[in-house]
C-alpha cells in the first residue's frame, strides 16, 4: 500500500511542475515482495499522467533500494567442517552432516568408514591429538570459518546429535572454545606428571600396578606448557587449567590463527612423532588437557586463587573459571561434580 504522505507530495509536485526523479526523496521500501527491476523500468511512459509516472518511478527506485539493502544485510552461514578422529567407530551418527565431515581414519581397510564419507587414512599413532594437529598443519591456510573437532564416538561424552552439535558449533564466537560437556569441566594441575597409580578411575590406560601402558613422555606437562606457550607470559605454569574430557570442541578460524602455523607443526612433531610415535603416547593425554587453555588461556587458566570466578557457571553453562571438578585419587569411578567449597 502507498504511503499517503508520499501520494500527497506527488500530487502537490504534479500541480507545480515535473521535477526530476533524482531530486525527490526516496523512502525505503518495507515490502520484500517487490521484485528488483532494471534501470530501464524507471522510464516514464509519454501517455502517463504526472502522478502515475512518479508512482512508477518511485516503485522502481524503492525496489532497487530494497534490493541493495538486502544484499548488504543478508549473511551466508559460516563455512563449516567437522574433523573426525576415527579408528573403528560406527560413524552412522554423522551421516546427517556427512557433507561437512573430513574423516581421518587410523583403523586400516577392515575398519574403513562408509564410502559416503571423505576419508584420508593415517598411521595409527598419537590418539586424536595427532589427528587434530595433522589437520591444522596441513589445512592452516584453508580453514573453514568454524571447525568442530571430534572423536569417532561421542555418546560416552555427550548425548547431543550431530545436527545439534553442528548448530551449537555455528554459534561459536571468535576466541571462544565451544565444548560439548556431559559433566562438569575438569581441572588439571598435575604439572610434574600424571601419577597413574593414584587414579584407579584411569585404569584403562594403566597396568594393575598403576604403570602407564603406553609410551611415557620424556618431559613433564609443565615443561611442554612452557615450551609451547611460554606460560603465556607468567613465570611458571598455571595453578590449574580447565578442560573437557574427550577433546571434542569447536573453534573459529581466527582462534586457530592466533598461533602461527609453525607452532602447530612443532607440537605435532614434539608430541606425536619421532621418539613419541606410538599408538598411545602419554603426550596425547597431556594434550587432551591443554586444548581449551591453548586457545583461550584468559578463561581456562588460573594463575592464583584470585583468578577463581565469583560465579559458578560461565556463559556456556560450564563450571566457571577455577571452579572445575578435580578428579579424586583412589576412586574407581569418578562421576564428576562441582569441587567448590
Amino acid at each position: 500500500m502507498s504511503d499517503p504522505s508520499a501520494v500527497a507530495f506527488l500530487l502537490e509536485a504534479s500541480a507545480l511542475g515535473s521535477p526530476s526523479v533524482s531530486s525527490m526523496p526516496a523512502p525505503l521500501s518495507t515490502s520484500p515482495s517487490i521484485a528488483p527491476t532494471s534501470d530501464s523500468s524507471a522510464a516514464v511512459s509519454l501517455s502517463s499522467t504526472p502522478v502515475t509516472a512518479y508512482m512508477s518511478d518511485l516503485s522502481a527506485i524503492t525496489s532497487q533500494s530494497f534490493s541493495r539493502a538486502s544484499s548488504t544485510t543478508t549473511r551466508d552461514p559460516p563455512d563449516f567442517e567437522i574433523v573426525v578422529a576415527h579408528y573403528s567407530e560406527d560413524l552412522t551418527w554423522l551421516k546427517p552432516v556427512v557433507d561437512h565431515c573430513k574423516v581421518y581414519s587410523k583403523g586400516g581397510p577392515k575398519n574403513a568408514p562408509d564410502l559416503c564419507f571423505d576419508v584420508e587414512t593415517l598411521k595409527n599413532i598419537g590418539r586424536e591429538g595427532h589427528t587434530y594437529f595433522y589437520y591444522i598443519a596441513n589445512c592452516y591456510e584453508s580453514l573453514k570459518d568454524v571447525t568442530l573437532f571430534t572423536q569417532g564416538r561421542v555418546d560416552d561424552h555427550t548425548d547431543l546429535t550431530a545436527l545439534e552439535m553442528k548448530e551449537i558449533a555455528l554459534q561459536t564466537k571468535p576466541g571462544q572454545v565451544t565444548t560439548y560437556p556431559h559433566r562438569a569441566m575438569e581441572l588439571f594441575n598435575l604439572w610434574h606428571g600424571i601419577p597413574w597409580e593414584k587414579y584407579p578411575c584411569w585404569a584403562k590406560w594403566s597396568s594393575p600396578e598403576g604403570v602407564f601402558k603406553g609410551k611415557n613422555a620424556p618431559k613433564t606437562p609443565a615443561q611442554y606448557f612452557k615450551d609451547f606457550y611460554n606460560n603465556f607470559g607468567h613465570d611458571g605454569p598455571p595453578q590449574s587449567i580447565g578442560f573437557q574430557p574427550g577433546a571434542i570442541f569447536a573453534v573459529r578460524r581466527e582462534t586457530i590463527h592466533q598461533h602461527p602455523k609453525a607452532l602447530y607443526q612443532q607440537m605435532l612433531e614434539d608430541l606425536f612423532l619421532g621418539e613419541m610415535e606410538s599408538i598411545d603416547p602419554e603426550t596425547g593425554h597431556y594434550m587432551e588437557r591443554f586444548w581449551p587453555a591453548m586457545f583461550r588461556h584468559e578463561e581456562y587458566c588460573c594463575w592464583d586463587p584470585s583468578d577463581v570466578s565469583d560465579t559458578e557457571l560461565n556463559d556456556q553453562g560450564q563450571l566457571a573459571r577455577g571452579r572445575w571438578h578435580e578428579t579424586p585419587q583412589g576412586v574407581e569411578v569418578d562421576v564428576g561434580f562441582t569441587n567448590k567449597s
Side-chain angles (χ1 to χ4, degrees):
M1 179 178 293
S2 302
D3 184 344
S5 62
V7 174
F9 169 80
L10 292 172
L11 289 171
E12 181 181 355
S14 66
L16 296 174
S18 300
S20 65
V21 172
S22 60
S23 67
M24 294 173 49
L28 292 178
S29 170
T30 58
S31 173
S33 62
I34 301 175
T37 58
S38 65
D39 291 341
S40 62
S41 67
V44 180
S45 170
L46 293 177
S47 62
S48 302
T49 65
V51 172
T52 57
Y54 282 114
M55 290 302 295
S56 176
D57 292 340
L58 182 61
S59 175
I61 294 169
T62 54
S63 181
Q64 292 167 10
S65 298
F66 177 81
S67 177
R68 287 194 297 270
S70 297
S71 67
T72 57
T73 57
T74 301
R75 295 183 179 180
D76 293 329
D79 288 333
F80 176 64
E81 189 153 47
I82 302 174
V83 174
V84 184
H86 175 262
Y87 177 68
S88 62
E89 301 86 0
D90 181 358
L91 300 184
T92 301
W93 69 279
L94 282 168
K95 285 189 175 181
V97 291
V98 64
D99 291 341
H100 298 292
C101 291
K102 175 63 177 178
V103 178
Y104 292 94
S105 183
K106 299 179 178 181
K110 69 176 183 179
N111 294 314
D114 192 294
L115 292 177
C116 67
F117 288 96
D118 177 11
V119 179
E120 181 175 344
T121 58
L122 296 178
K123 191 174 182 179
N124 186 22
I125 58 173
R127 299 170 56 83
E128 77 283 336
H130 168 267
T131 301
Y132 296 176
F133 278 127
Y134 177 89
Y135 169 81
I136 294 173
N138 284 278
C139 302
Y140 188 84
E141 293 83 7
S142 58
L143 294 168
K144 303 297 186 184
D145 293 337
V146 178
T147 303
L148 166 57
F149 295 88
T150 182
Q151 299 183 25
R153 178 188 174 188
V154 298
D155 61 1
D156 54 343
H157 291 291
T158 180
D159 57 2
L160 297 172
T161 67
L163 286 171
E164 289 170 334
M165 293 175 70
K166 172 189 172 182
E167 291 307 309
I168 293 172
L170 291 176
Q171 305 306 312
T172 303
K173 303 177 181 66
Q176 182 184 29
V177 181
T178 297
T179 61
Y180 299 89
H182 72 303
R183 54 191 263 175
M185 290 287 290
E186 299 280 341
L187 179 150
F188 178 74
N189 59 1
L190 303 173
W191 294 109
H192 298 296
I194 299 176
W196 296 94
E197 72 280 0
K198 296 182 179 180
Y199 293 91
C201 58
W202 296 339
K204 178 180 178 181
W205 298 285
S206 61
S207 70
E209 296 75 33
V211 178
F212 180 64
K213 293 178 182 178
K215 178 74 172 179
N216 289 107
K219 297 181 181 180
T220 66
Q223 290 172 311
Y224 284 117
F225 206 82
K226 184 179 188 305
D227 288 349
F228 300 141
Y229 319 121
N230 195 29
N231 294 322
F232 296 108
H234 292 258
D235 293 333
Q239 173 181 291
S240 63
I241 58 176
F243 74 100
Q244 198 70 60
I248 303 168
F249 60 90
V251 287
R252 293 189 63 89
R253 176 177 57 246
E254 306 95 309
T255 304
I256 295 176
H257 280 175
Q258 70 180 290
H259 300 301
K261 180 178 179 180
L263 175 63
Y264 298 109
Q265 293 172 321
Q266 178 191 352
M267 296 183 74
L268 175 63
E269 294 172 3
D270 291 358
L271 296 175
F272 303 113
L273 301 178
E275 65 176 318
M276 290 312 298
E277 186 172 307
S278 166
I279 293 176
D280 187 20
E282 193 173 23
T283 49
H285 296 270
Y286 294 173
M287 195 61 227
E288 180 181 358
R289 291 152 172 81
F290 286 0
W291 288 110
M294 179 179 77
F295 287 131
R296 189 171 175 79
H297 66 90
E298 301 90 345
E299 180 174 356
Y300 295 105
C301 289
C302 264
W303 302 96
D304 59 60
S306 66
D307 285 337
V308 177
S309 174
D310 292 333
T311 60
E312 183 177 352
L313 302 177
N314 64 15
D315 58 1
Q316 292 190 66
Q318 306 162 333
L319 288 176
R321 188 183 186 192
R323 294 184 175 275
W324 310 301
H325 165 65
E326 184 172 4
T327 303
Q329 296 182 5
V331 300
E332 294 187 0
V333 178
D334 175 25
V335 295
F337 54 89
T338 303
N339 67 330
K340 64 177 184 175
S341 58

